[in-house]
Amino acid sequence: MNGPRRIPPFAEDALEVLRETISDGDEGLSKDEAATVLVADERFTDGDAEYALDVLQNRGYIYYVDEQVYITPTDD
């Protein structure tokens, strides 16, 4: 099963918010900054933001380096 890695709609929304905030080649955001950006969007509570970050990391859409959040590059 080599299809796209499916994520729930709330995680797609979170990824879009993060993509708007973290540009290519950016230094990323700290995990706390990423959660703050999501909560500022008003669609996410603190718990929702943490859960969305966990889902995105577990599915490979984001990754951490030294506590900085980066978006996994894609060929798209």
Side-chain angles (χ1 to χ4, degrees):
M1 202 163 149
N2 291 344
R5 298 165 294 186
R6 304 298 294 168
I7 56 175
F10 76 90
E12 289 178 6
D13 292 342
L15 183 60
E16 185 60 34
V17 170
L18 292 174
R19 281 188 175 139
E20 291 171 1
T21 305
I22 303 173
S23 62
D24 290 339
D26 197 355
E27 293 183 11
L29 297 172
S30 73
K31 187 173 182 177
D32 289 339
E33 290 171 327
T36 298
V37 165
L38 293 176
V39 171
D41 186 73
E42 297 180 358
R43 289 180 281 182
F44 301 93
T45 65
D46 288 330
D48 293 338
E50 291 294 324
Y51 184 61
L53 290 171
D54 287 342
V55 168
L56 292 171
Q57 181 188 22
N58 289 336
R59 301 286 177 90
Y61 284 88
I62 64 171
Y63 63 98
Y64 295 98
V65 175
D66 296 330
E67 297 299 314
Q68 294 289 109
V69 177
Y70 296 91
I71 297 174
T72 304
T74 62
D75 294 335
D76 298 339

